[in-house]
Amino acid sequence: MSATNRTRTDILMRLEPYWKMEAANAILMPVMILFLSKGQVSWISLVPMAAMVLLLVIGALYWRGKVRQLKGQTKGWSCLLMAIARLKLPALVLVLAGCMTALAGWIGADLPIGTADRWAATGSAALAVLEYVNYYHRQVQHFDNKADFKRMMAGKGFRPSWMARDLADLRRKG
């Protein structure tokens, strides 16, 4: 096996689980939040939770498409990227709305159901922000790849995310 094929195989082995993990998290995270909060959530939590779920779904779709592209199954890849590009602004608006509702839950004593609602909103908003940055801008996830982790620990900053690079390529090809 050539070095290129081995590298591609290694990359595919590392990336294949991503889409499944993101899709599972789109379901499991809200369920876990509802469980931990004993169902005591209101719109204060539901708005940032919706943002978080949207970004996890975008991530699942992106990684599934990326794996297919790396396997040479490129049909629909550019359409998927165009859809993801069109979702950037609505996702950002939803993330910002989620952050505002989470903040409102801490400021307005009568808005949340209780402390669990506040924490559910805050956690969901934080995860939504991280997912938005991680997909549309900079790779903030470095725990799954030794080289990425070493780069971060060496103070070399956060590199553009895979999706951000693919979207930039799409814009250049325009």
Side-chain angles (χ1 to χ4, degrees):
M1 181 183 292
S2 74
T4 303
N5 287 340
R6 187 178 65 243
T7 302
R8 181 174 292 245
T9 300
D10 292 343
I11 290 171
L12 281 169
M13 284 178 54
R14 187 166 52 93
L15 297 182
E16 180 73 41
Y18 280 16
W19 75 270
K20 296 171 189 171
M21 179 180 64
E22 296 295 80
N25 280 334
I27 297 166
L28 295 175
M29 291 302 294
V31 168
M32 184 178 73
I33 290 166
L34 288 170
F35 176 77
L36 292 174
S37 68
K38 297 181 172 83
Q40 297 298 304
V41 297
S42 68
W43 66 275
I44 295 293
S45 294
L46 295 177
V47 174
M49 206 180 305
M52 176 188 67
V53 168
L54 173 63
L55 285 153
L56 289 167
V57 168
I58 289 169
L61 292 170
Y62 171 76
W63 285 119
R64 177 67 177 132
K66 187 66 177 176
V67 166
R68 291 177 53 83
Q69 180 208 29
L70 291 170
K71 288 180 177 179
Q73 302 166 357
T74 58
K75 184 178 181 188
W77 174 243
S78 60
C79 289
L80 174 63
L81 284 179
M82 285 188 281
I84 288 171
R86 283 192 297 271
L87 286 170
K88 184 177 181 180
L89 182 59
L92 177 60
V93 169
L94 191 55
V95 167
L96 293 174
C99 290
M100 288 187 288
T101 61
L103 180 61
W106 290 99
I107 294 171
D110 59 335
L111 294 176
I113 292 175
T115 303
D117 193 17
R118 288 181 175 112
W119 284 113
T122 302
S124 295
L127 288 171
V129 168
L130 288 171
E131 289 292 347
Y132 180 84
V133 171
N134 190 52
Y135 280 118
Y136 283 105
H137 298 286
R138 297 281 175 185
Q139 179 184 336
V140 294
Q141 174 184 312
H142 286 84
F143 61 82
D144 65 333
N145 184 311
K146 191 175 180 178
D148 288 342
F149 187 74
K150 282 183 177 182
R151 175 184 165 81
M152 182 186 68
M153 296 308 288
K156 295 182 180 175
F158 295 97
R159 69 178 184 186
S161 68
W162 284 54
M163 193 169 93
R165 289 181 275 175
D166 283 337
L167 292 172
D169 286 345
L170 180 69
R171 283 189 301 275
R172 277 191 294 277
K173 292 175 184 173

